[in-house]
């Protein structure tokens, strides 16, 4: 199991899971597969405490000898003659989408530039096969009594694709941008569907742009990887005159939704609910970040982003620090960003939202669907912790949250009952997304494939930091609400984060609160440039004479 998950040839008894490339998501998958293979549910903390193979096996043997193997329920296919229920996540998103009727904030746009000779028949057949294969993509949401239920469109309905021909137009590039904008901002009909659609735009005989838009209620980030991989496999097969190369799926998303409602009930649900009730009790409702403009009365979703790159040298240092402190790279970056946010807000108690792939069960790894959950991680910076102490606190917080990650976010909000306001999201307003599963690019026979489509222009939170490992570096984007922040402010915050990460690597024993975040030029501007207040004045008059002159000049003005 280790070798398969980590992508290595073989694993020795003294190998360390994290030193071989393991991270939190792989850890969850490992423990899920172990539970199915040997009938034992190990806490995530056990793997972090005993990441060496022989030590972990000893823990499993000890648990088995004490409690014996457990029979863990598998996800099984359910009858389609009964009404199909949405998952908890789908139910939440349906309510949010109804509140924002006609909005496009929950769209997932993809765009590709396809250069070369496109076999349009094989391409449409590939899209239709993908649509037929995944019931999630064929799901629509009807609510005759105001409560949503799922209906599944027939497999032969086909994925709708609108075609445009811009070949030979003098303003083809402007027309392309208009079509991209129109596609991104056209709402879906949740009850009518389909909730996935495409546009094929011909620029010339051997140059096409394909836009594919999905509603988040039927897909998520992990699903994008499944979709790209399967579309590539279908197109290569169909373009070569072969049949469908993929084996049928054993279960579908509605089977998972039915299993989830049964599995997350009784004592299991009570335990998770109590954890979140205790953990988030008394948490600050809002992170008081200084903004460039007053917060609008109703939250604006308009956004932009700046790139973030943590260079190879700093990334190596962060990996070394993480190994020494028993954290993952994600936990180390989370601690650093929490420290930056604490300095900016003046709060030593803050909550950061973290998406969780929620793909621990092997049965659902190959499904397209909306599985992702959101965890509210409360980070404690009180008492002037050192770098080491903050990393330890963050590790405990992240592990405990992942142990209780099954309870859907909307149920956590219902349990905690934070004050609700239209101008900001409940529980947290900043998000850190760690991309463990980088979506591969399309691999289509005879075509070179590049990215296309609109730039990032929407956010769901005030700040959204999205990072992942890319080769030797950590890279990603820093998204922000343009109603609140200017680009220059976010670029400064990016600088603070990088400065703090460098200082953490240099000395893990120093107090986090005393790390200097300001670059020299900003420090000079704040302390010297802004204090250069010398101005010419009439040196032949006394101060009371200058005052009298001003009174005569503007007697009614405020002094």
């Amino acid at each position: 199991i280790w070798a398969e998950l980590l992508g290595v040839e073989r694993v020795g008894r003294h190998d360390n899971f994290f030193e071989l490339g393991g991270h939190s998501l792989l850890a969850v998958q490992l423990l899920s597969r172990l539970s199915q293979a040997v009938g034992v549910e190990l806490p995530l903390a056990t793997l972090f405490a005993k990441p060496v193979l022989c030590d972990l096996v000893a823990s499993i043997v000890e648990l088995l000898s004490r409690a014996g193997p457990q029979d863990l329920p598998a996800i099984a296919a359910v009858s389609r003659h009964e009404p199909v229920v949405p998952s908890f996540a789908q139910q939440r998103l349906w309510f949010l989408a109804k509140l924002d009727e006609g909005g496009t904030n929950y769209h997932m746009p993809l765009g590709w530039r396809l250069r070369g000779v496109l076999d349009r028949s094989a391409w449409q057949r590939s899209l239709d096969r993908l649509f037929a294969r995944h019931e999630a993509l064929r799901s629509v949401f009807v609510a005759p009594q105001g409560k949503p239920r799922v209906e599944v469109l027939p497999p032969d309905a086909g994925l709708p694709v609108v075609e445009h021909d811009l070949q030979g137009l003098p303003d083809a590039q402007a027309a392309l941008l208009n079509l991209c904008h129109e596609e991104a901002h056209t709402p879906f009909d949740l009850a009518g569907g389909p909730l996935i659609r495409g546009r094929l735009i011909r620029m010339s005989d051997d140059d096409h742009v394909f836009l594919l838009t999905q509603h988040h209620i039927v897909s998520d980030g992990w699903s994008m990887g499944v979709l790209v991989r399967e579309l590539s496999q279908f197109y290569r097969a169909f373009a070569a005159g072969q049949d469908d190369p993929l084996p049928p799926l054993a279960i579908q998303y509605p089977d998972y939704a039915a299993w989830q409602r049964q599995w997350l009930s009784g004592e299991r649900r009570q335990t998770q609910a109590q954890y979140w009730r205790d953990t988030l009790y008394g948490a600050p409702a809002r992170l008081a970040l200084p903004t460039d403009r007053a917060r609008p009365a109703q939250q604006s979703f308009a956004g932009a982003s700046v790139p973030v790159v943590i260079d190879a040298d700093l990334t190596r240092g962060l990996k070394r620090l993480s190994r020494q402190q028993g954290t993952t790279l994600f936990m180390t970056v989370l601690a650093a960003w929490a420290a930056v946010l604490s300095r900016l807000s003046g709060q030593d108690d803050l909550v950061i939202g973290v998406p969780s792939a929620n793909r621990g069960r092997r049965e659902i790894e190959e499904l397209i669907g909306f599985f992702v959950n959101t965890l509210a991680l409360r980070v404690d910076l009180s008492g002037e912790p050192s770098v080491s102490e903050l990393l330890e606190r963050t590790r405990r917080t992240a592990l405990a949250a992942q142990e209780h990650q099954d309870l859907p976010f909307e149920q956590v909000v219902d349990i905690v009952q934070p004050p609700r306001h239209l101008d900001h999201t409940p529980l947290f307003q900043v998000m850190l997304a760690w991309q463990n599963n980088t979506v591969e690019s399309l691999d289509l026979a005879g075509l070179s494939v590049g990215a296309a489509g609109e730039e990032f222009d929407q956010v769901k939170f005030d700040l959204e930091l999205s990072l992942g490992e890319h080769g030797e570096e950590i890279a990603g984007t820093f998204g922000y609400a343009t109603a609140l922040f200017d680009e220059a402010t976010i670029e400064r915050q990016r600088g603070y984060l990088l400065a703090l990460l460098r200082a953490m690597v240099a000395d893990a024993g120093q107090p986090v609160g005393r790390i200097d975040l300001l670059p020299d030029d900003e420090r000079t501007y704040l302390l010297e440039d802004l204090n250069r207040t010398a101005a010419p004045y009439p040196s032949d008059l006394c101060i009371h004479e200058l005052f009298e002159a001003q009174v005569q000049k503007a007697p009614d003005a405020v002094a």
Side-chain angles (χ1 to χ4, degrees):
I1 295 172
W2 275 41
E4 183 190 351
L5 279 173
L6 296 170
V8 294
E9 285 285 317
R10 55 194 298 275
V11 176
R13 57 188 287 112
H14 300 296
D15 282 341
N16 182 305
F17 180 75
F18 296 104
E19 287 177 10
L20 288 178
H23 49 68
S24 299
L25 174 58
L26 286 176
V28 170
Q29 290 179 284
L30 172 67
L31 296 183
S32 166
R33 293 185 186 191
L34 276 175
S35 69
Q36 289 169 288
V38 296
V40 61
E41 281 198 85
L42 276 179
L44 200 55
T46 302
L47 178 57
F48 274 80
K50 300 192 173 171
V52 174
L53 180 56
C54 58
D55 297 336
L56 185 68
V57 170
S59 299
I60 294 169
V61 170
E62 184 195 344
L63 198 58
L64 280 171
S65 62
R66 213 169 53 232
Q70 300 159 289
D71 188 22
L72 301 166
I75 303 175
V78 297
S79 166
R80 293 298 187 270
H81 299 302
E82 306 294 321
V84 176
V85 294
S87 67
F88 292 125
Q90 286 181 324
Q91 194 168 309
R92 168 182 97 229
L93 204 56
W94 182 84
F95 282 113
L96 290 174
K98 295 309 269 185
L99 283 174
D100 185 30
E101 196 89 62
T104 58
N105 199 36
Y106 292 101
H107 284 196
M108 300 181 68
L110 283 171
W112 297 291
R113 192 84 182 231
L114 310 175
R115 288 191 165 91
V117 179
L118 175 68
D119 183 334
R120 286 163 69 177
S121 168
W123 181 242
Q124 183 65 56
R125 192 178 162 201
S126 301
L127 294 165
D128 290 345
R129 186 69 207 102
L130 183 84
F131 188 68
R133 179 173 171 80
H134 294 276
E135 284 188 14
L137 296 179
R138 293 188 276 118
S139 296
V140 296
F141 299 81
V142 296
Q145 275 85 45
K147 191 174 177 185
R149 62 180 170 81
V150 177
E151 289 182 355
V152 181
L153 299 174
D156 60 358
L159 194 155
V161 175
V162 177
E163 296 196 17
H164 304 269
D165 191 349
L166 305 184
Q167 184 167 236
L169 290 184
D171 54 351
Q173 199 54 40
L176 174 63
L177 289 174
N178 285 339
L179 287 174
C180 290
H181 182 82
E182 180 186 298
E183 173 55 40
H185 295 86
T186 301
F188 281 105
D189 174 8
L190 289 180
L195 301 181
I196 179 171
R197 62 176 185 239
R199 289 194 194 217
L200 182 63
I201 305 161
R202 183 163 77 145
M203 308 303 290
S204 70
D205 285 344
D206 56 359
D207 184 7
H208 293 78
V209 172
F210 186 74
L211 308 176
L212 186 68
T213 311
Q214 302 163 85
H215 196 289
H216 203 348
I217 203 166
V218 298
S219 189
D220 61 14
W222 180 299
S223 298
M224 296 285 210
V226 177
L227 181 148
V228 164
R229 192 166 58 249
E230 292 192 353
L231 264 182
S232 300
Q233 289 171 298
F234 287 140
Y235 183 80
R236 283 200 303 272
F238 297 154
Q242 298 162 1
D243 289 332
D244 180 350
L246 299 180
L249 294 166
I251 60 162
Q252 290 280 352
Y253 188 87
D255 303 318
Y256 159 78
W259 170 86
Q260 182 195 41
R261 288 176 180 273
Q262 182 185 356
W263 185 78
L264 194 61
S265 59
E267 188 182 343
R268 185 179 275 111
R269 186 188 180 282
Q270 285 171 5
T271 302
Q272 298 216 7
Q274 192 60 48
Y275 166 80
W276 291 108
R277 191 179 288 115
D278 294 345
T279 301
L280 296 174
Y281 176 77
R286 202 166 99 189
L287 182 62
L289 290 173
T291 57
D292 295 308
R293 285 170 288 286
R295 186 177 287 275
Q298 184 144 1
Q299 184 181 0
S300 164
F301 296 109
S305 72
V306 298
V308 179
V309 176
I310 299 172
D311 64 44
D313 189 45
L314 181 52
T315 297
R316 278 192 295 274
L318 291 170
K319 286 181 175 178
R320 190 170 57 249
L321 176 67
S322 301
R323 275 197 304 274
Q324 290 163 353
Q325 303 295 326
T327 57
T328 61
L329 266 179
F330 156 72
M331 294 173 190
T332 301
V333 173
L334 173 66
W337 200 36
V340 171
L341 294 171
S342 174
R343 295 277 278 277
L344 290 170
S345 65
Q347 293 169 229
D348 59 11
D349 179 9
L350 49 91
V351 182
I352 297 175
V354 172
S356 162
N358 205 19
R359 297 271 189 159
R361 304 284 303 206
R362 185 161 196 177
E363 303 100 312
I364 60 176
E365 285 181 16
E366 298 303 317
L367 291 183
I368 290 175
F370 182 29
F371 294 91
V372 68
N373 196 13
T374 307
L375 308 180
L377 270 55
R378 186 177 186 180
V379 185
D380 172 19
L381 289 111
S382 62
E384 298 194 357
S386 66
V387 169
S388 292
E389 171 60 22
L390 178 59
L391 287 171
E392 173 57 24
R393 291 182 192 181
T394 307
R395 186 174 74 92
R396 288 199 302 265
T397 297
L399 284 177
Q402 285 175 312
E403 295 280 9
H404 301 88
Q405 68 174 311
D406 305 297
L407 196 71
F409 178 67
E410 74 282 357
Q411 294 188 26
V412 173
V413 174
D414 289 342
I415 288 162
V416 178
Q417 295 195 318
R420 296 297 191 102
H421 298 282
L422 290 175
D423 66 348
H424 67 267
T425 48
L427 293 184
F428 60 84
Q429 296 82 48
V430 299
M431 170 81 85
L432 172 60
W434 194 261
Q435 310 294 344
N436 282 316
N437 269 54
T438 310
V439 176
E440 301 159 23
S441 34
L442 271 178
D443 180 11
L444 306 179
L447 292 165
S448 87
V449 182
E454 277 225 313
E455 292 297 305
F456 178 100
D457 68 348
Q458 289 190 317
V459 289
K460 298 176 182 65
F461 302 94
D462 295 355
L463 296 174
E464 297 177 357
L465 185 57
S466 177
L467 295 170
E469 283 190 73
H470 295 267
E472 299 289 301
E473 298 179 331
I474 297 169
T477 56
F478 197 162
Y480 60 96
T482 48
L484 301 178
F485 300 103
D486 293 330
E487 184 178 32
T489 301
I490 302 304
E491 287 173 343
R492 279 199 303 276
Q493 290 188 21
R494 175 183 62 188
Y496 304 154
L497 176 62
L498 293 171
L500 198 118
L501 288 168
R502 279 192 287 269
M504 286 170 67
V505 167
D507 179 6
Q510 64 184 318
V512 175
R514 295 191 196 164
I515 293 174
D516 189 4
L517 300 185
L518 294 181
D520 290 343
D521 58 345
E522 191 175 348
R523 174 173 292 280
T524 302
Y525 171 71
L526 291 171
L527 297 183
E528 296 176 26
D529 295 357
L530 290 180
N531 279 320
R532 290 198 181 100
T533 55
Y537 63 94
S539 55
D540 57 326
L541 296 174
C542 293
I543 187 74
H544 70 280
E545 291 172 313
L546 290 171
F547 192 94
E548 286 167 353
Q550 180 62 22
V551 169
Q552 286 176 344
K553 196 165 105 183
D556 297 324
V558 175

